[in-house]
Amino acid sequence: MVFGKKDLEYRQFSEGNFIKIRHLVIDDICFHLKAIRMNLSSKKLSTLYLTRNGLMEPLGQSQVFAYLRGLSKDYDITLITFEKAEDLADEAALERARKDCARYGIRWLPQRFHGRPKGIAHVWSMLIFFWLCVRVTYSRGAQLIHARSYIPAAVALVAGAITRTPFIFDMRALWPEEMITAGRLRRGSPAHRAIAATERLCIKRAAAVVSLTESAVVHLQEIYPREMAEQRLAIIPTCADLNRFVPAPFHDSPRIYGCLGTILSGWFRQDWLAAFFQAAARRDVNSEFHIITRDDPKKVREAMGGNPAFQSRLQIYSMAPHEVHKAVQRQSVSAMFFTEGLSKLGSSPTRLGELLGCGIPVVANAGVGDVAQIIERNCVGVLARSSATEDMDEVLDALERLTADPHLPSRCRKTAEEVFSLEAGTRAYRELYASILPLQTSKTT
């Protein structure tokens, strides 16, 4: 018999998952026995954390595990993640992740992320997600489910209703709007209406809602006034590693205008960056321009344009994640210009916290999360109105006045610590947990 590509995909998927079901049943029995012993000995309140991101991904390490390390001091945490096949194949990295979780007493239940065959793979993943959520809630006596983003929140909504367990809807960003902007969802379509209805229901039924930005909260209050009016809210931006991103003891000459991160993603205003760099090049003939990115250097250089003299002062390079802070520390000022719109109201660029952590002022545009409010409120940068030459000249004038202030680096650092520090984020989550769990404990006693 000859199988087509799709037939083989379905066959491999089915065979692999029938074996997985058998293993999960056996594991389920062992899991319950261990859970009973652990629940008898543990005095911590039990919580369950759900995310479709992988713990072994950079995002999982910086925006999931970083918080859970701190929360594990007060709570007995079970973590469910979906890991990509290439990450699970790295046995050394997998063992390190397991040891890291064990060190903090976190029970990690990694699941394999399935991208194929489309449709069935996603349904299967959600069924596994739901089953694990329910069984962990019952067997571990979880008193709170923390759902990171929309799909985990939808699972927590149903599982929480069955097990009578409250859940946190940790939105992260405005996912439906991001899907529409990316062209993967049409506004007003049946799929969009279904997602919007789920979003509304999750906001209504959640014990608390977490947003990355104040701007996203304002937007949600406009479209869901009744649900948001009665909701417990917390605004917790993405955290930055402020132990690495620290101010340099001094800045090298000449002045370096920089940019950190991808600029070819479609979300970045390349024309604004080019206009800013070229305006600075005309004003300061000794200045240099550094773009630290993993994007194609040739494409980035083409996007920056300019004459040969400017191009000779432009450096484009990438660095290992654990080395990036060294290059950032050399910069005198850094620029970040993103497209604005509804989809960006929920964005909290991690690079903003990293730059401010190094004591570096930022040139940016309004309309992206809380970026403009943070810069203006703390006087740690300059906002550009457009890419026009006269507007960029005004930005450079304002920047000269700002950098003349000797307290600017310390003010940037203080802002990073207050807004983007891991400690501040963990403290906010701890306070949110505590505001929910006493209420839940009193209901069950």
Side-chain angles (χ1 to χ4, degrees), residues 13-29:
F13 177 81
S14 301
E15 290 176 352
N17 285 294
F18 278 129
I19 295 172
K20 186 173 183 179
I21 290 173
R22 186 180 64 191
H23 286 194
L24 281 172
V25 170
I26 296 172
D27 179 64
D28 204 38
I29 297 172

Side-chain angles (χ1 to χ4, degrees), residues 80-359:
I80 300 176
T81 65
F82 279 82
E83 309 292 330
K84 292 183 171 62
E86 57 268 29
D87 291 327
L88 291 174
D90 188 340
E91 295 183 2
L94 180 62
E95 185 60 24
R96 283 196 301 272
R98 290 189 185 280
K99 288 181 178 178
D100 286 341
C101 287
R103 184 180 303 116
Y104 292 96
I106 297 171
R107 179 175 178 80
W108 180 35
L109 303 177
Q111 306 302 307
R112 181 181 293 274
F113 176 82
H114 290 288
R116 286 180 173 276
K118 290 183 178 180
I120 287 184
H122 293 305
V123 171
W124 172 259
S125 295
M126 296 313 298
L127 288 173
I128 291 294
F129 216 161
F130 174 76
W131 180 27
L132 287 171
C133 185
V134 171
R135 75 164 180 147
V136 169
T137 302
Y138 276 131
S139 62
R140 302 271 295 183
Q143 294 169 288
L144 179 66
I145 302 172
H146 187 154
R148 188 183 193 277
S149 196
Y150 282 69
I151 292 178
V155 171
L157 174 69
V158 179
I162 293 173
T163 61
R164 303 185 67 180
T165 306
F167 72 96
I168 293 173
F169 182 14
D170 198 340
M171 300 183 74
R172 311 313 298 168
L174 299 175
W175 185 56
E177 294 298 332
E178 289 187 335
M179 295 276 283
I180 291 170
T181 301
R184 297 170 60 190
L185 184 67
R186 182 170 56 83
R187 191 180 301 279
S189 66
H192 176 245
R193 290 198 298 270
I195 292 173
T198 304
E199 179 183 59
R200 180 191 291 270
L201 194 56
C202 284
I203 290 173
K204 180 179 180 180
R205 298 288 175 81
V209 172
V210 177
S211 171
L212 291 175
T213 69
E214 293 179 11
S215 299
V217 169
V218 172
H219 169 70
L220 292 169
Q221 288 171 336
E222 291 175 353
I223 61 175
Y224 304 129
R226 183 179 301 175
E227 290 81 1
M228 292 294 288
E230 302 172 357
Q231 188 52 265
R232 182 189 283 109
L233 299 170
I235 299 170
I236 307 176
T238 54
C239 68
D241 187 352
L242 298 183
N243 291 322
R244 285 195 302 117
F245 289 89
V246 298
F250 61 89
H251 280 292
D252 295 331
S253 293
R255 171 172 285 201
I256 296 177
Y257 294 85
C259 180
L260 172 65
T262 180
I263 69 169
L264 300 180
S265 63
W267 300 106
F268 199 91
R269 290 184 174 273
Q270 303 167 23
D271 54 334
W272 286 45
L273 182 63
F276 173 64
F277 275 3
Q278 291 175 36
R282 288 191 297 270
R283 181 170 298 205
D284 183 356
V285 297
N286 295 315
S287 58
E288 294 181 4
F289 304 90
H290 292 195
I291 300 178
I292 309 167
T293 182
R294 298 176 68 182
D295 294 335
D296 184 336
K298 184 178 179 180
K299 292 181 179 179
V300 173
R301 190 171 291 278
E302 290 175 355
M304 292 301 98
N307 57 35
F310 166 71
Q311 284 283 334
S312 68
R313 295 152 62 188
L314 174 63
Q315 297 183 36
I316 303 165
Y317 52 93
S318 63
M319 297 190 72
H322 64 280
E323 297 285 342
V324 170
H325 63 285
K326 296 178 182 178
V328 173
Q329 289 171 337
R330 295 184 57 205
Q331 297 179 7
S332 307
V333 59
S334 195
M336 45 185 283
F337 304 111
F338 294 99
T339 56
E340 63 270 7
L342 283 179
S343 64
K344 301 306 289 181
L345 291 179
S347 296
S348 176
T350 305
R351 70 180 81 180
L352 178 59
E354 293 170 344
L355 296 167
L356 294 176
C358 290

Side-chain angles (χ1 to χ4, degrees), residues 3-118:
F3 290 96
K5 182 179 179 182
K6 283 202 167 185
D7 294 321
L8 287 172
E9 284 181 356
Y10 280 106
R11 184 178 180 183
Q12 291 167 358
F13 177 81
S14 301
E15 290 176 352
N17 285 294
F18 278 129
I19 295 172
K20 186 173 183 179
I21 290 173
R22 186 180 64 191
H23 286 194
L24 281 172
V25 170
I26 296 172
D27 179 64
D28 204 38
I29 297 172
C30 298
F31 178 85
H32 279 78
L33 292 175
K34 290 180 181 178
I36 292 171
R37 291 198 301 270
M38 292 184 70
N39 284 338
L40 290 174
S41 61
S42 177
K43 295 181 181 180
K44 297 179 182 178
L45 294 175
S46 179
T47 63
L48 171 61
Y49 193 104
L50 310 177
T51 176
R52 288 192 79 223
N53 296 109
L55 179 62
M56 299 171 70
E57 298 174 11
L59 185 145
Q61 286 293 308
S62 65
Q63 303 303 322
V64 175
F65 193 62
Y67 290 122
L68 296 184
R69 287 199 305 263
L71 293 172
S72 67
K73 298 175 183 177
D74 304 295
Y75 299 99
D76 179 26
I77 300 171
T78 299
L79 170 63
I80 300 176
T81 65
F82 279 82
E83 309 292 330
K84 292 183 171 62
E86 57 268 29
D87 291 327
L88 291 174
D90 188 340
E91 295 183 2
L94 180 62
E95 185 60 24
R96 283 196 301 272
R98 290 189 185 280
K99 288 181 178 178
D100 286 341
C101 287
R103 184 180 303 116
Y104 292 96
I106 297 171
R107 179 175 178 80
W108 180 35
L109 303 177
Q111 306 302 307
R112 181 181 293 274
F113 176 82
H114 290 288
R116 286 180 173 276
K118 290 183 178 180

